[in-house]
Amino acid sequence: GAVVSQHPSRVICKSGTSVKIECRSLDFQATTMFWYRQFPKQSLMLMATSNEGSKATYEQGVEKDKFLINHASLTLSTLTVTSAHPEDSSFYICSARAPSGTLGNQPQHFGDGTRLSIL
Amino acid sequence: GENVEQHPSTLSVQEGDSAVIKCTYSDSASNYFPWYKQELGKRPQLIIDIRSNVGEKKDQRIAVTLNKTAKHFSLHITETQPEDSAVYFCAASNFNKFYFGSGTKLNVKP
């Protein structure tokens, strides 16, 4: 159980292109999804928290107009990198978490990540 | 906000030895502490977690301890094997966000 699917796994595109990344929870409903960016040999940097049916909450320093997040259903969140430039090249990874309930806080389950390369 | 510090950044052990990774956190409201293992180019995978109402949890060769008073928690891997080599991340959560440590690269030498 707790499978998170992320697509595409790799994107190579020209500067100025907008890129959409999808994150799906396959066997559970995720009221909250998270989007991270990971640089080589570094930790996971939280970009934003995506809540189903409401606006995403962005971390300080993350441009919300640059990184558009949509969480239209309990199983799907998308991240669109608008007008991507070489400095946006990175490994983007999403995670999904089932609702906290009587069991308390629930773990995050990660997608496989998307390696984005902007030429 | 929460600040999670993780040490050491790299750890090299001989196969069969034990490995210990330590994390500290700053927010006393954090109540959930998962540990993730990430192999190169792959997704982080949950290996063990502990909640604030428990002081220790063990799963085969892996154990985690939590000291709420001191605000630190540790990952213990016994009888290490080469396949344990990876980057390990600790995290702290308070029902909202997860805050990750900087990671520990574990190298188990055969």
Side-chain angles (χ1 to χ4, degrees):
Chain A
V3 178
V4 175
S5 174
Q6 183 175 342
H7 293 283
S9 59
R10 184 169 180 88
V11 179
I12 303 173
C13 58
K14 294 181 180 179
S15 183
T17 306
S18 291
V19 178
K20 180 187 275 190
I21 303 169
E22 291 189 349
C23 182
R24 294 180 185 272
S25 57
L26 298 185
D27 51 1
F28 67 101
Q29 293 185 331
T31 54
T32 305
M33 291 186 174
F34 302 89
W35 287 96
Y36 295 87
R37 186 171 178 174
Q38 188 175 33
F39 292 101
K41 300 183 180 180
Q42 293 192 24
S43 188
L44 298 152
M45 183 189 80
L46 180 64
M47 298 174 65
T49 302
S50 171
N51 296 295
E52 186 268 336
S54 64
K55 291 183 179 180
T57 303
Y58 289 82
E59 294 300 297
Q60 191 173 9
V62 178
E63 298 176 58
K64 59 182 179 181
D65 295 330
K66 175 76 172 177
F67 300 99
L68 300 178
I69 291 172
N70 186 297
H71 194 155
S73 76
L74 284 170
T75 58
L76 174 64
S77 176
T78 60
L79 167 68
T80 301
V81 183
T82 61
S83 187
H85 292 284
E87 58 266 28
D88 298 322
S89 298
S90 190
F91 187 64
Y92 294 87
I93 191 164
C94 72
S95 70
R97 188 183 71 187
S100 298
T102 56
L103 293 179
N105 208 340
Q106 297 298 311
Q108 293 186 46
H109 302 283
F110 288 88
D112 282 329
T114 298
R115 189 159 300 283
L116 177 62
S117 300
I118 307 298
L119 306 176
Chain B
E2 176 66 280
N3 180 39
V4 178
E5 294 192 356
Q6 183 173 346
H7 299 280
S9 56
T10 59
L11 179 59
S12 189
V13 299
Q14 205 67 40
E15 181 178 0
D17 288 348
S18 295
V20 180
I21 303 171
K22 299 182 179 181
C23 287
T24 61
Y25 62 100
S26 60
D27 189 351
S28 57
S30 290
N31 57 15
Y32 176 67
F33 307 91
W35 285 88
Y36 289 87
K37 174 183 179 182
Q38 186 179 29
E39 297 179 20
L40 189 63
K42 296 188 177 180
R43 72 175 80 187
Q45 292 197 313
L46 178 71
I47 57 171
I48 196 168
D49 56 8
I50 190 168
R51 302 182 191 281
S52 58
N53 59 346
V54 176
E56 184 174 357
K57 184 177 178 180
K58 189 174 181 180
D59 182 5
Q60 299 182 343
R61 296 187 296 109
I62 297 173
V64 58
T65 59
L66 171 65
N67 183 327
K68 286 193 298 182
T69 303
K71 295 195 187 69
H72 65 70
F73 55 113
S74 301
L75 177 71
H76 304 252
I77 306 174
T78 58
E79 300 172 33
T80 54
Q81 301 167 2
E83 50 265 37
D84 294 329
S85 296
V87 178
Y88 292 81
F89 293 99
C90 64
S93 177
N94 62 355
F95 282 100
N96 189 9
K97 300 177 186 177
F98 284 64
Y99 296 88
F100 285 85
S102 53
T104 296
K105 184 176 181 181
L106 174 64
N107 179 34
V108 180
K109 295 178 286 186

